[in-house]
């Protein structure tokens, strides 16, 4: 915590401990928020005061960041991080698409197997019904 002109500020590390996230995560949220602000879109977290390259947050901003951290949905920053990673991000994207395709194929295969079992049972019941009609 820093006190500047009588105002208390939390560093990125302090804020990370407060919201139970890594300081690097807080830094990424700040970077992504800056990109959103440049596009005239709403920021994810409030804009910090930057002094000597260090991001400082007021206690009120810390509460807003905590609310964001608790409400954040998984995958919100995935595209941003893949773009930031460049070539490695493109490889990750390819693996993700391949995994999704593989999962779709697995679902289709499981569905086909389940339908074949149902069809075999239906055939079995038809045969039993024929057999019962003959024997009556």
């Amino acid at each position: 915590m820093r006190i500047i002109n009588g105002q208390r500020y939390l560093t990125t590390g302090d804020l990370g401990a407060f919201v139970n996230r890594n300081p690097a995560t807080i830094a990424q949220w700040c970077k992504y928020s800056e990109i959103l602000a440049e596009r005239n879109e709403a920021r994810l977290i409030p804009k910090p005061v930057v002094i000597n390259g260090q991001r400082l947050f007021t206690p009120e901003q810390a509460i807003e960041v905590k609310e964001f951290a608790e409400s954040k949905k998984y995958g919100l920053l995935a595209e941003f991080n893949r773009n930031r990673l460049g070539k490695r991000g493109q490889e990750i994207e390819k693996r993700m698409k391949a995994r999704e395709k593989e999962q779709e194929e697995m679902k289709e295969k499981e569905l086909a197997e389940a339908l074949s079992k149902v069809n075999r049972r239906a055939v079995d019941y038809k045969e039993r019904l024929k057999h019962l009609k003959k024997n009556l």
Side-chain angles (χ1 to χ4, degrees):
M1 182 176 301
R2 305 280 188 265
I3 298 176
I4 301 171
N5 296 331
Q7 174 68 37
R8 293 181 351 186
Y9 291 98
L10 283 80
T11 63
T12 306
D14 297 334
L15 183 61
F18 178 67
V19 299
N20 198 25
R21 294 290 195 279
N22 191 309
T25 301
I26 305 295
Q28 286 300 317
W29 291 348
C30 287
K31 289 177 185 177
Y32 190 57
S33 290
E34 289 298 324
I35 291 171
L36 291 175
E38 289 173 5
R39 295 184 204 161
N40 294 323
E41 296 179 22
R43 296 176 62 90
L44 298 178
I45 61 174
K47 185 173 183 166
V49 175
V50 180
I51 298 176
N52 292 333
Q54 187 175 31
R55 294 179 187 92
L56 301 172
F57 296 86
T58 64
E60 295 80 22
Q61 289 175 323
I63 292 170
E64 290 181 41
V65 173
K66 185 170 181 102
E67 290 172 359
F68 168 75
E70 291 171 351
S71 67
K72 185 181 86 60
K73 294 183 180 175
Y74 180 79
L76 178 66
L77 299 172
E79 182 180 342
F80 168 72
N81 285 327
R82 287 189 197 121
N83 289 337
R84 182 180 59 85
L85 292 171
K87 186 175 180 180
R88 182 169 175 250
Q90 292 171 353
E91 292 172 7
I92 292 170
E93 185 73 29
K94 287 178 187 175
R95 286 197 310 260
M96 293 293 293
K97 287 180 181 178
R99 184 180 301 148
E100 288 172 3
K101 184 178 178 182
E102 182 179 304
Q103 288 175 346
E104 286 178 22
E105 291 172 356
M106 291 287 286
K107 285 180 183 178
E108 290 174 5
K109 184 178 177 182
E110 289 172 1
L111 181 61
E113 287 177 14
L115 287 174
S116 69
K117 287 180 182 178
V118 169
N119 288 337
R120 275 187 259 138
R121 286 185 196 151
V123 171
D124 289 345
Y125 286 119
K126 287 179 185 177
E127 294 298 321
R128 287 182 184 174
L129 186 60
K130 285 181 188 177
H131 180 69
L132 287 172
K133 284 183 180 179
K134 285 182 185 177
N135 291 336
L136 288 177

